[in-house]
Amino acid sequence: MKHKSNYMKTVSIKHITRIEGHATFWGALKKGNVGEARYRTLEGARLIEGVLVGRDYMDAPLVTSRICGVCPIVHNLTAIKALEDGMEIQVAPSTVLLRKLMMLGQTVTSHGVHAYFMCIPDFYGKDSALDLVSIAPKYTAAALEIREFGNRITHVIGGRPLHPVNSQVGGFLKLPDAAEMKKLLDGSQAIVQQTLELAHFMSHLRFTDFHRPTENICLSSAHEYAIYDGTVASNKGLKQTPAAFMQSIRELHSPDDYVKRTTHKNKPYFVGALARINNNWQQLNPIAKQALRSVNVKLPIDNSFFNVLCQGIELIHCIEEAQKLLRQYLGMKNVKPMVRYSVRPGKGTGAIEAPRGILLHYYETNKLGKLKNVNIITPTAQMINNLEHDLVQYIGSKKSFSAADERKLGMLIRAYDPCMTCATH
Amino acid sequence: MKKAQKKQGTPPPRKKLRIAIVGLTSCDGCSVSAIDMGAEFIGAVDHFELGDFFLIMDEKNNEPYDVTFVEGAPLTKQNIANLKAARKRTKVLVSFGACACHGVIPNIKNHIDKERAVRYVYPQTHTKVFNPDIRPLKHFVKVDLELPGCPPDGRDIIAILNAVREGISPKLLENPVCYECQLNGNECVLQKGEPCLGPVTRGGCDAVCLNSKFFCKGCRGMIPGYSTKQLERQILENHTREELNSILQIFGIQEDWYEAQK
């Protein structure tokens, strides 16, 4: 920690809790109302890319899912997509549909734990998700049921709720049980209702007034609210393939940080639910769109605190979408779990919207299917720069730090849904 | 909180066990598996006093705990210090999940050129990266119980807590994954030539991978006392030694595997 005379006030959160993984924050207010902010990981370097080089390509989906326990499915599927891209493997439409369903389950469980259990306690001045049991018993029960539904989707299709085993390059080892899929569909309407009530509850929370426009980057698709597939687009006119985007962003190497943060055109940018809602809200499913309209916010949203509410809106959308896809799947005939493919050398990129923003995987394989080069750029590595810019502005707007301000700083960090284990893979 | 004095005749209320769930470097999946129990988890922790669980609460205090679950492997100096501190303030320390028990993915570098691995990921700053060999928690502190699995089954957490509460020393299942797989009526992938580690791997997972026809890679570690010789012979009929080692390294069981042949 630096102690210089031009720091009027300093503030630190040694261990930021209620986020995924471990991080620390230090901020200062300097003369002339200028803020300074340092947000750093406390995770060790697991060298995931380094240990993958030389291994069989089939290990990539398995190993990378262990990057993150909150979003293992998106790592698993992004790895699979990147490998299929490199080996030019075309999977069946049913496989794409099942993967999209897994992603919806993933988004629901992740948002469920973050938007509700991690973030809501702050709005009541509390420090623990367990306090919500008595503060908001009805919504706590709803959040648990919604998460349970997301977990059931990933269990039925992926083989278990976390660290999927069934999804592989080329498709699935085994098709999901049709009766279980039917059960999911039957139970989904009640969950739509629950998500709607939860979003309604969240929309009445008092969000901090804060504004800082930035570039919002996410996947976009002409066909749907993009999660599983799309081109990379932004509110500043960006439109690129994931491979080109991965080339165009810069990973920064800093000697005091294990996270390789990124910039795009030397500027910070936002990724995550707020970016998706800002860019693609017209494609939300009807009930989610209606819920967004009923919220008193002006689009595009330039207040990062609202990322939490955007996740709430996405919860509704995801369950509606899951309903649609489950119905579609149950109407499909002659579904095959896996396509035949041959291992070949190639370079491939995969991109999927993780709950916290766009996730990119790149693999280069040789003719034996051994991994020659690996690169993984996570949403959190992309958002940290933007978060620090927000923190700097927020701190700069203060004259001193009250306990309430300190909590607000924690809330701002939390609102981004940073995942330090992803960022520090 | 002070409880009202109970009427005479009724036994005094039992003191709640104080528990903590702390994380070193890992994916946090073990902690998520606790949360994934949903209402069951919330209902269960009501019988205990949860004092520290980074994923859903700020730390309440530094008072001694009865049981501490430690997830992850120590990858930073701070991790090691935190682990030692956790040991000091708890009666029972549980290695929570496969990273804590065996090191898992990060331990792969123990078996390859770890300098090359760190240079690959951090080409410009590798000299500043702490890059130790990865060791399980028991290498650093006394561990009272290992709760294996990647991820572990959330219900095992409750089982352990209940056992400690009743004063029983908690025990893990000692049947192989193979047994549970057969009970589930799965087709044997080992007989089809896949390098399945189910016959020597500790069960308790309901053969979840094999239920999806995904061969067992031994995330729950080996059952003590089992020899790996015969299974190794069988696997080497269809696979090279290098392939076998590569599988053993994923969940950090290579050393235990060869130890079990002595």
Side-chain angles (χ1 to χ4, degrees):
Chain A
M1 299 296 135
K2 289 184 180 178
H3 293 287
K4 287 185 188 164
S5 55
N6 61 343
Y7 293 134
M8 287 157 61
K9 294 272 178 209
T10 61
V11 56
S12 69
I13 309 173
K14 220 174 118 196
H15 179 198
I16 303 161
T17 52
R18 287 182 284 127
I19 59 166
E20 223 278 278
H22 307 271
T24 181
F25 164 75
W26 178 87
L29 187 62
K30 295 190 286 190
K31 280 176 191 151
N33 271 18
V34 180
E36 196 175 314
R38 248 176 269 250
Y39 177 78
R40 294 284 185 273
T41 181
L42 293 174
E43 303 279 334
R46 287 176 291 167
L47 311 178
I48 300 275
E49 290 126 326
V51 298
L52 272 174
V53 171
R55 294 185 74 87
D56 192 81
Y57 75 98
M58 300 258 266
D59 290 344
L62 173 101
V63 167
T64 57
S65 83
R66 267 79 184 175
I67 287 175
C68 177
V70 175
C71 57
I73 289 142
V74 70
H75 279 286
N76 176 269
L77 294 180
T78 310
I80 290 171
K81 267 184 82 179
L83 290 163
E84 287 171 350
D85 180 46
M87 296 191 200
E88 294 171 38
I89 301 165
Q90 291 284 339
V91 295
S94 57
T95 294
V96 172
L97 189 150
L98 289 173
R99 289 179 184 169
K100 284 182 178 175
L101 269 167
M102 282 176 75
M103 272 315 301
L104 296 169
Q106 165 77 96
T107 310
V108 166
T109 48
S110 177
H111 283 3
V113 75
H114 174 258
Y116 191 78
F117 290 102
M118 293 179 178
C119 291
I120 304 289
D122 283 321
F123 290 91
Y124 292 93
K126 297 287 184 187
D127 302 322
S128 165
L130 295 177
D131 291 325
L132 297 172
V133 178
S134 52
I135 292 171
K138 183 180 153 194
Y139 299 111
T140 304
L144 289 172
E145 274 180 50
I146 293 163
R147 284 202 79 238
E148 176 61 26
F149 184 78
N151 271 338
R152 281 219 311 277
I153 296 179
T154 49
H155 190 165
V156 169
I157 302 171
R160 67 172 164 199
L162 15 133
H163 300 326
V165 288
N166 192 21
S167 44
Q168 299 289 337
V169 172
F172 289 88
L173 293 170
K174 197 175 147 186
L175 287 174
D177 184 78
E180 289 293 332
M181 295 289 270
K182 177 80 182 18
K183 250 198 251 170
L184 282 170
L185 177 61
D186 292 345
S188 61
Q189 194 53 39
I191 306 296
V192 171
Q193 190 57 34
Q194 304 263 43
T195 54
L196 187 59
E197 285 175 22
L198 196 65
H200 183 73
F201 161 71
M202 289 168 68
S203 71
H204 285 82
L205 296 169
R206 194 188 293 258
F207 288 92
T208 306
D209 191 38
F210 174 83
H211 302 277
R212 194 182 70 83
T214 186
E215 187 170 16
N216 292 298
I217 297 182
C218 68
L219 290 177
S220 283
S221 158
H223 314 292
E224 61 192 359
Y225 188 85
I227 293 179
Y228 179 74
D229 216 356
T231 52
V232 184
S234 84
N235 55 334
K236 303 242 166 114
L238 171 74
K239 210 170 169 59
Q240 274 182 327
T241 62
F245 177 65
M246 212 169 169
Q247 292 285 326
S248 73
I249 55 181
R250 228 175 99 213
E251 284 188 285
L252 308 171
H253 298 257
S254 160
D256 73 337
D257 196 356
Y258 290 166
V259 178
K260 291 184 277 184
R261 307 156 175 223
T262 66
T263 56
H264 180 249
K265 293 186 177 159
N266 285 325
K267 288 209 175 88
Y269 54 99
F270 199 104
V271 295
L274 186 141
R276 291 190 291 260
I277 295 270
N278 272 342
N279 294 353
N280 301 331
W281 67 271
Q282 287 101 330
Q283 290 163 304
L284 285 170
N285 281 318
I287 302 175
K289 202 193 275 181
Q290 187 55 41
L292 179 66
R293 283 211 180 98
S294 70
V295 177
N296 189 22
V297 288
K298 213 177 104 237
L299 289 164
I301 303 165
D302 59 5
N303 179 354
S304 306
F305 284 95
F306 273 101
N307 191 43
V308 181
L309 184 59
C310 290
Q311 290 187 341
I313 301 290
E314 282 196 333
L315 281 175
I316 312 173
H317 168 84
C318 287
I319 308 288
E320 287 182 273
E321 189 69 15
Q323 256 182 334
K324 239 195 288 186
L325 296 184
L326 283 163
R327 238 180 244 125
Q328 235 175 314
Y329 179 79
L330 288 164
M332 281 180 154
K333 300 255 176 341
N334 300 322
V335 176
K336 296 264 187 309
M338 177 86 77
V339 291
R340 284 178 175 279
Y341 64 87
S342 43
V343 170
R344 63 168 101 178
K347 296 174 187 178
T349 305
I352 300 184
E353 279 293 326
R356 2 192 108 59
I358 184 167
L359 170 68
L360 299 149
H361 279 219
Y362 168 86
Y363 300 97
E364 193 180 330
T365 48
N366 70 12
K367 60 178 196 269
L368 298 170
K370 293 266 185 259
L371 298 168
K372 275 173 70 184
N373 275 304
V374 181
N375 195 21
I376 296 161
I377 299 181
T378 61
T380 302
Q382 298 179 69
M383 72 170 70
I384 290 181
N385 266 327
N386 203 66
L387 166 61
E388 276 192 356
H389 275 73
D390 274 2
L391 288 165
V392 164
Q393 179 175 321
Y394 190 83
I395 291 169
S397 71
K398 296 282 155 197
K399 291 200 173 62
S400 62
F401 299 115
S402 63
D405 290 323
E406 279 187 33
R407 183 181 284 275
K408 289 273 172 67
L409 288 167
M411 286 171 81
L412 180 53
I413 292 167
R414 227 162 262 135
Y416 270 75
D417 195 2
C419 171
M420 302 323 295
T421 68
C422 277
T424 329
H425 57 275
Chain B
M1 241 189 287
K2 275 183 188 167
K3 288 251 169 87
Q5 204 71 42
K6 286 268 171 178
K7 279 179 202 162
Q8 252 190 343
T10 49
R14 185 143 53 157
K15 213 171 144 252
K16 285 183 176 181
L17 283 189
R18 298 160 77 93
I19 56 177
I21 304 177
V22 301
L24 307 176
T25 297
S26 69
C27 79
D28 291 354
C30 305
S31 296
V32 173
S33 71
I35 292 172
D36 277 351
M37 281 190 295
E40 207 181 332
F41 176 73
I42 290 183
V45 295
D46 202 31
H47 297 284
F48 303 92
E49 198 181 317
L50 189 58
D52 186 8
F53 186 11
F54 65 100
L55 211 48
I56 58 163
M57 67 193 290
D58 300 357
E59 195 180 339
K60 278 191 179 160
N61 53 52
N62 280 313
E63 301 287 320
Y65 294 105
D66 294 290
V67 186
T68 300
F69 293 85
V70 183
E71 170 181 1
L75 260 74
T76 64
K77 287 171 187 160
Q78 188 62 46
N79 280 165
I80 298 169
N82 289 353
L83 171 61
K84 290 185 173 161
R87 174 70 270 183
K88 267 195 193 142
R89 56 177 204 188
T90 191
K91 284 184 200 150
V92 177
L93 188 138
V94 183
S95 288
F96 183 26
C99 284
C101 297
H102 313 115
V104 189
I105 312 292
N107 108 97
I108 295 173
K109 75 175 175 188
N110 297 1
H111 305 280
I112 60 172
D113 180 354
K114 69 176 185 182
E115 288 308 320
R116 185 190 58 80
V118 75
R119 274 197 310 272
Y120 186 78
V121 181
Y122 298 103
Q124 297 170 28
T125 56
H126 60 92
T127 53
K128 305 276 184 195
V129 178
F130 185 57
N131 190 24
D133 270 9
I134 305 305
R135 298 284 171 233
L137 302 193
K138 63 184 175 201
H139 179 83
F140 300 89
V141 293
K142 175 176 163 269
V143 167
D144 300 292
L145 185 73
E146 294 194 317
L147 169 52
C150 183
D153 190 325
R155 284 167 303 185
D156 283 344
I157 303 168
I158 308 298
I160 289 173
L161 289 174
N162 285 337
V164 175
R165 195 160 68 128
E166 298 304 325
I168 309 163
S169 68
K171 286 232 157 50
L172 290 170
L173 278 177
E174 294 223 337
N175 60 255
V177 171
C178 200
Y179 170 79
E180 292 169 4
C181 184
Q182 287 174 53
L183 280 183
N184 291 344
N186 295 329
E187 197 181 358
C188 181
V189 294
L190 180 63
Q191 280 172 8
K192 286 166 78 180
E194 292 194 40
C196 182
L197 308 185
V200 298
T201 301
R202 191 191 285 277
C205 57
D206 190 35
V208 64
C209 296
L210 287 147
N211 296 343
S212 289
K213 302 183 182 180
F214 195 55
F215 69 85
C216 174
K217 294 179 167 67
C219 78
R220 295 176 66 84
M222 271 165 303
I223 303 178
Y226 274 43
S227 169
T228 53
K229 263 189 191 160
Q230 194 193 337
L231 179 59
E232 182 174 292
R233 219 174 299 135
Q234 196 172 346
I235 289 173
L236 292 181
E237 282 171 18
N238 299 303
H239 302 273
T240 63
R241 168 79 60 194
E242 193 195 348
E243 282 166 353
L244 172 63
N245 285 346
S246 172
I247 295 164
L248 297 174
Q249 286 159 16
I250 293 178
F251 291 109
I253 54 170
Q254 182 170 308
E255 283 166 21
D256 290 349
W257 178 273
Y258 291 110
E259 189 65 33
Q261 297 184 355
K262 283 175 188 165

